[in-house]
Amino acid sequence: CDQARAAGLECLLGKGSLVDLRQMNKPVVLTLLSEKGDRYYVLLTALRGDLATFRIGDEKRTVPVREIAGRWGGEYLLLWRPPVDYRDISKLGVKGVMVNWLANRLAVASGKPVPVAGEVVYDRRMIDQVKQFQLTHGIVPDGIVGPRTIIGLTGVVPDGDPVLRNPGEKS
């Protein structure tokens, strides 16, 4: 994670399910177990329907998702690019680049008009929008814009970084 931060990325270590990975919609490194019980790591690059595509070293494999179940205990590592001026947003009245970014992403994700930059304030209305987004994307609906919420927003609204599936594509 220190190397990731030096490259302008953030690191999210977590434990979850395939549903969580689909919702975050970002490539992740999974910790799998071999038949002998040895740990090994794969880069999950796509989840489409019941197929998962991995990179293991220089090799690319596509396998049925069910093959993951017996080898994966839920551990993952996700590297993600934070927005400019990134910080958790949790206080009422906050303004700035990060709040404008959030308002834009929430609007696009919900199909609403994008607000005019500079006029946006993190207020009760925006907290409700964040909670609604969190609720519909399997994130604890606490209104705090932390890493999972930001990752969720960048997975729904393309930002140029790799995704497991393109928005609108069936998972």
Side-chain angles (χ1 to χ4, degrees):
C1 288
D2 290 339
Q3 290 175 337
R5 284 186 199 93
L9 300 173
E10 291 289 326
C11 187
L12 179 66
L13 292 164
K15 189 162 180 143
S17 67
L18 283 173
V19 171
D20 295 323
L21 300 183
R22 287 183 196 278
Q23 289 169 334
M24 288 187 289
N25 196 26
K26 296 287 184 185
V28 293
V29 176
L30 301 180
T31 304
L32 301 180
L33 295 175
S34 71
E35 291 174 6
K36 296 178 183 178
D38 297 324
R39 287 176 172 241
Y40 65 101
Y41 303 92
V42 299
L43 175 62
L44 176 66
T45 59
L47 272 175
R48 291 186 173 89
D50 64 348
L51 296 177
T53 302
F54 297 98
R55 285 220 171 265
I56 305 169
D58 293 334
E59 188 178 337
K60 180 179 175 182
R61 290 186 189 173
T62 299
V63 299
V65 170
R66 70 179 176 276
E67 287 188 23
I68 299 169
R71 299 189 184 273
W72 183 51
E75 294 176 14
Y76 65 83
L77 167 69
L78 188 149
L79 300 177
W80 58 285
R81 186 175 322 280
V84 175
D85 198 30
Y86 167 70
R87 66 184 183 284
D88 287 358
I89 299 174
S90 59
K91 294 182 182 175
L92 284 171
V94 174
K95 296 180 185 179
V97 174
M98 186 64 200
V99 177
N100 290 339
W101 178 92
L102 174 62
N104 180 292
R105 294 299 172 114
L106 287 169
V108 172
S110 65
K112 296 181 180 171
V114 175
V116 177
E119 297 179 9
V120 183
V121 176
Y122 193 68
D123 58 11
R124 296 247 179 247
R125 186 182 56 77
M126 190 176 286
I127 289 172
D128 290 343
Q129 291 173 338
V130 168
K131 285 180 179 180
Q132 183 60 44
F133 177 84
Q134 291 169 327
L135 188 62
T136 59
H137 288 85
I139 303 166
V140 175
D142 58 10
I144 297 171
V145 185
R148 279 293 310 269
T149 301
I150 291 170
I151 291 165
L153 284 165
T154 60
V156 171
V157 182
D159 60 0
D161 286 344
V163 292
L164 293 176
R165 62 174 165 50
N166 294 318
E169 181 179 313
K170 287 189 177 186
S171 57

